[in-house]
Amino acid sequence: MKFQKNTIALLLGSSMAAISGQAAAHWSSGPFLYNDAGTNPMHLAAAELTNPATGTTFGTYEQTRAGGTSYGWIQAADPALWGNSHDNSGLAFTLSQTSKVTFTINTLGTATQVTPTGTSSYTDISGIDWTPAFSIFKGLAAQSSHEGAAANNTGLAANTPGNVEWGPYGSSQPYTAATDATYEATTGNTYTGNGTWGNFRSTASWVSGRDLSATAKFKDGTLIGTDPTLGGNNTSLLEYVDHIMGADGSHTVTGTFTLGPGDYSIWIGGTSLADAVAQQNNYQGLYNANLTDGVAYSDAALAYNTHLSTASPELQAAQAAYNAAMASHTNTQADRDAATDALQAELDKDSTAQSLRNTMLTAGADIIHYTDAIAHLRAKEGYTIQTTVSAVPVPGAVWLFGSAIAGLAGIGRRKSIAA
């Protein structure tokens, strides 16, 4: 019997882990695509500022990245439901002067692994081609941001109307009339939905935030502090500038912008509306399955793990190896299949363990199904991003005006000499 990849996440934790676990994933704007200002606005470690693929002077630069999902960008265009930043890929760039900036994004087709720029290890990606889109925002996300109500961060909580109960962050900040009222009073915006999927918005400004901690530090070692106010180190506004969508069925998107000096974020994701709807149904299905089957599944998982604690060392080792293989982001499918076969070989020697595991998998069949379906659609995508930065062309009329002034100056000088 083969076991699906994501089952193990539910074996070792509560049955609700599949819904709330995403909140543990943190992100920041970055890495940098371009920075000609010589600044370190994200307080990165020195080594992160020396990436040779990061542009520092006018020119063209290219990086390979993994992140985003097939539906992440289009989901976040929904003005009522919003989107999940974890389903998109955020990068940063800084301009010291007004510049002409062109971004070109190309997907990696059916590749299943990619080695992101600046790393030496590969990352698994979906292997399914997708259509990209991107949005540009003025500002950078707070370090280690995440959706949901960040611990003690009242500034972040006040800037989201609350999350839908079936979404990955519903348990951390449920949507209520009070959260809606706080959001509207704080932002001056009217919200007409019944809770959001996350904080990310692809066609409007949005707010990112992190947990407040008196001991947390930036990567350069300086303290972040505990200021929750918008614009501080823990809560930041990403101000919408513009967006470009790839044509349906295409696997590339490009756009050129004239941007003033400052720090910017570019967020990249897919445009599959069908996948966005399917994922919404998956989350709702998982929520309902946990309500109906969560207790029975947790009890069955506990019974299996209790037996496992006294089982043969070989079975314990096989289960541990299986857990590690499934959790790894660098193992190949062959590695996972080998770990599955090794575990099954040990289960074949322990009929009680096999029976308890079968009971667990039966009790949690719907939970496992929706967890795997969510993970399948949330598989990372791979892409290259080419960044070209150049001076803003001076209009011809300005040159003509300048020539006329120079000519008048020359005439005046000749008259002066003649006199």
Side-chain angles (χ1 to χ4, degrees):
M1 177 179 180
K2 298 287 187 182
F3 304 114
Q4 290 181 295
K5 174 181 177 181
N6 297 287
T7 302
I8 193 59
L10 296 171
L11 300 184
L12 303 180
S14 73
S15 60
M16 291 302 289
I19 285 186
S20 60
Q22 289 181 41
H26 300 333
W27 46 264
S28 305
S29 294
F32 274 97
L33 298 170
Y34 185 87
N35 184 351
D36 63 357
T39 57
N40 189 4
M42 292 194 294
H43 295 273
L44 298 176
E48 296 178 288
L49 292 174
T50 58
N51 183 345
T54 299
T56 56
T57 59
F58 288 161
T60 297
Y61 305 87
E62 184 168 293
Q63 297 188 22
T64 300
R65 293 291 161 198
T69 63
S70 63
Y71 63 88
W73 189 92
I74 198 68
Q75 173 58 57
D78 184 330
L81 196 54
W82 298 13
N84 186 346
S85 65
H86 300 75
D87 292 332
N88 294 272
S89 179
L91 301 167
F93 62 100
T94 293
L95 302 173
S96 65
Q97 58 187 297
T98 299
S99 304
K100 178 182 177 182
V101 185
T102 299
F103 295 107
T104 300
I105 295 166
N106 291 297
T107 67
L108 299 183
T110 57
T112 57
Q113 292 180 331
V114 62
T115 301
T117 297
T119 69
S120 57
S121 59
Y122 57 80
T123 299
D124 287 340
I125 55 178
S126 72
I128 302 172
D129 216 341
W130 55 293
T131 299
F134 67 86
S135 301
I136 296 175
F137 301 90
K138 187 75 177 290
L140 303 172
Q143 179 174 294
S144 299
S145 291
H146 62 84
E147 267 90 344
N152 303 318
N153 193 335
T154 54
L156 177 62
N159 280 277
T160 178
N163 305 118
V164 289
E165 63 180 2
W166 50 263
Y169 311 105
S171 61
S172 58
Q173 186 178 344
Y175 175 80
T176 65
T179 60
D180 193 343
T182 299
Y183 167 75
E184 294 190 351
T186 302
T187 65
N189 298 327
T190 299
Y191 180 69
T192 57
N194 295 300
T196 67
W197 188 330
N199 290 8
F200 178 61
R201 308 187 74 184
S202 55
T203 57
S205 300
W206 59 291
V207 172
S208 78
R210 53 166 282 115
D211 297 334
L212 303 189
S213 168
T215 59
K217 296 181 178 180
F218 289 110
K219 292 182 179 180
D220 65 0
T222 59
L223 285 171
I224 295 175
T226 58
D227 178 12
T229 58
L230 191 62
N233 288 338
N234 293 287
T235 314
S236 60
L237 172 68
L238 285 86
E239 186 177 358
Y240 173 74
V241 176
D242 206 346
H243 73 270
I244 300 286
M245 290 178 62
D248 287 345
S250 69
H251 307 299
T252 185
V253 61
T254 188
T256 299
F257 313 86
T258 298
L259 301 172
D263 300 319
Y264 293 86
S265 302
I266 178 170
W267 284 77
I268 301 151
T271 63
S272 174
L273 184 59
D275 285 353
V277 172
Q279 192 71 306
Q280 179 176 333
N281 291 335
N282 288 337
Y283 275 115
Q284 291 172 329
L286 178 59
Y287 177 79
N288 292 329
N290 271 291
L291 291 179
T292 58
D293 303 332
V295 173
Y297 185 43
S298 292
D299 289 346
L302 177 62
Y304 172 71
N305 284 302
T306 298
H307 175 78
L308 187 64
S309 67
T310 60
S312 70
E314 292 78 14
L315 176 55
Q316 292 180 12
Q319 181 70 68
Y322 173 85
N323 297 353
M326 298 305 163
S328 172
H329 294 293
T330 58
N331 279 352
T332 64
Q333 188 58 48
D335 295 329
R336 299 184 184 105
D337 290 343
T340 300
D341 292 341
L343 175 58
Q344 186 58 58
E346 294 303 322
L347 287 169
D348 289 341
K349 302 173 187 178
D350 187 332
S351 60
T352 300
Q354 181 70 80
S355 176
L356 288 171
R357 188 177 179 103
N358 289 344
T359 298
M360 177 185 65
L361 296 179
T362 299
D366 286 343
I367 294 173
I368 294 169
H369 165 75
Y370 286 115
T371 300
D372 285 345
I374 288 170
H376 173 72
L377 285 180
R378 293 196 76 226
K380 291 181 179 179
E381 304 293 359
Y383 61 92
T384 62
I385 178 167
Q386 186 181 85
T387 306
T388 299
V389 183
S390 59
V392 176
V394 177
V398 173
W399 288 115
L400 291 174
F401 179 73
S403 299
I405 293 296
L408 290 175
I411 291 173
R413 183 171 178 272
R414 286 193 295 273
K415 288 182 176 180
S416 176
I417 292 173

